[in-house]
């Protein structure tokens, strides 16, 4: 499968900062930008910057960023699922995982998360993919926001739902281990039925139990 990546951009104002939201971008371009110290939800900022540079240059990898000047203040990633996760079992070339989304505290709750997804889905190539995201409450910044798990889950549903991702059932044990965890997905318009069948088979692997 050829992974077509078409660049799009939109701007928005948050807390008196004029942000440009753009992507998919290349690794070398991302390497030329500064990475905000507030982007530390998943790794220390330097390491996360490096990880995103690598993802940007993967054949299927897509990185969309929000930046003020040369300072990256938010990002979202799309890539094939981790080989250790069940979502990679069928090795579907047309399945991408929204692996991480993060916005710096400086511009949170100002619409940047939703804008990142809007720009990501401006590329018509996204209609060729099943896009999934696995929401685990232990990845959420409950401490930083003061939200409880259900309030945070609502925020994630709003962000993901703005791009058309919706809740999908699964018997994945990690997802089922807490009721606030969930799988969300969007099946692109041109995704063939074989991919949908293979995706459904990955969602449910313990049918004999029921
Ligand atoms: C697959 C994964 O990556 S899971 C982990 C997700 N990432 C994290 O938890 C990292 C830390 N958190 C963040 O970076 C951000 O808070 C995000 C990514 C969760 C949300 O990004 P933001 O730019 O703040 O979200 P955005 O401003 O687009 O808000 C979306 C909606 O949630 C609401 N919202 C956002 N933050 C809050 C909050 N703290 N309290 C209440 N509502 C909120 C917004 O009002 C908006 O609602 P609306 O659609 O009714 O207008």
């Amino acid at each position: 499968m050829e992974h077509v990546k078409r660049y799009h951009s939109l701007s928005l104002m948050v807390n008196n900062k004029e942000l440009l939201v753009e992507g998919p971008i290349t690794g070398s371009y991302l390497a030329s930008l500064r990475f905000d110290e507030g982007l530390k939800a998943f790794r220390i900022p330097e390491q996360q910057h490096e990880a995103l540079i690598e993802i940007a240059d993967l054949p299927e990898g897509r990185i969309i960023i929000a930046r003020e000047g040369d300072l990256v203040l938010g990002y979202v990633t799309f890539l094939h699922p981790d080989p250790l996760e069940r979502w990679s079992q069928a090795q579907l070339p047309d399945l991408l995982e929204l692996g991480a989304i993060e916005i710096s505290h400086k511009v949170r709750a100002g619409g940047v998360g939703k804008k990142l997804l809007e720009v990501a889905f401006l590329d018509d190539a996204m209609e060729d993919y099943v896009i999934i995201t696995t929401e685990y409450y232990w990845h959420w910044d409950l401490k930083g926001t003061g939200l409880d798990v259900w309030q945070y889950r609502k925020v994630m549903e709003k962000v993901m739902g703005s791009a058309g991702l919706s809740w999908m059932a699964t018997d994945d044990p990690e997802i089922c281990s807490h009721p606030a965890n969930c799988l969300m997905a969007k099946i692109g318009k041109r995704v063939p039925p074989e991919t949908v069948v293979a995706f459904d088979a990955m969602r449910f692997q313990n049918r004999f139990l029921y």
Side-chain angles (χ1 to χ4, degrees):
M1 174 179 184
E2 192 198 347
H3 297 287
V4 176
K5 303 181 197 179
R6 293 188 202 89
Y7 174 93
H8 287 85
S9 67
L10 291 173
S11 55
L12 85 161
M13 287 290 290
V14 185
N15 300 341
N16 286 325
K17 295 179 194 299
E18 188 172 350
L19 301 186
L20 185 73
V21 177
E22 60 175 352
I25 58 168
T26 63
S28 59
Y29 176 65
L30 182 54
S32 74
L33 300 173
R34 294 181 301 130
F35 202 71
D36 190 65
E37 61 193 4
L39 296 171
K40 56 186 180 190
F42 301 103
R43 294 195 182 92
I44 60 167
E46 295 74 21
Q47 286 177 3
Q48 189 65 352
H49 193 182
E50 282 305 315
L52 298 190
I53 290 166
E54 279 182 32
I55 294 169
D57 287 337
L58 292 173
E60 85 286 5
R62 308 172 80 91
I63 302 286
I64 316 297
I65 57 164
R67 64 176 173 87
E68 184 194 27
D70 68 347
L71 182 64
V72 177
L73 288 166
Y75 64 83
V76 61
T77 74
F78 298 88
L79 72 166
H80 287 322
D82 187 295
L84 294 174
E85 289 188 3
R86 71 157 65 180
W87 313 108
S88 67
Q89 282 169 4
Q91 305 245 322
L92 296 173
D94 50 357
L95 187 147
L96 295 182
E97 180 165 8
L98 187 167
I101 181 166
E102 182 177 10
I103 314 299
S104 170
H105 294 270
K106 295 169 188 166
V107 288
R108 274 195 199 165
V112 182
K114 290 202 292 190
K115 192 62 81 180
L116 282 169
L117 291 192
E118 186 184 339
V119 170
F121 282 87
L122 281 177
D123 187 349
D124 180 64
M126 295 295 265
E127 298 292 350
D128 292 312
Y129 296 101
V130 173
I131 306 287
I132 66 163
T133 179
T134 50
E135 292 297 329
Y136 303 116
Y137 81 87
W138 47 86
H139 287 164
W140 299 340
D141 184 10
L142 298 169
K143 213 166 123 194
T145 54
L147 301 179
D148 66 33
V149 287
W150 292 108
Q151 291 167 325
Y152 211 105
R153 158 81 179 255
K154 191 76 213 160
V155 171
M156 295 316 303
E157 282 177 6
K158 283 179 171 180
V159 173
M160 302 303 170
S162 71
L165 281 84
S166 56
W167 179 90
M168 285 213 176
T170 176
D171 60 15
D172 179 74
E174 263 200 294
I175 291 178
C176 295
S177 70
H178 191 283
N181 293 347
C182 67
L183 169 70
M184 296 185 81
K186 179 178 186 187
I187 297 172
K189 282 193 289 225
R190 291 186 296 272
V191 171
E194 313 83 81
T195 294
V196 179
V197 168
F199 174 50
D200 287 346
M202 288 193 290
R203 289 199 291 133
F204 296 104
Q205 298 187 9
N206 299 308
R207 283 175 206 259
F208 64 90
L209 288 175
Y210 304 114

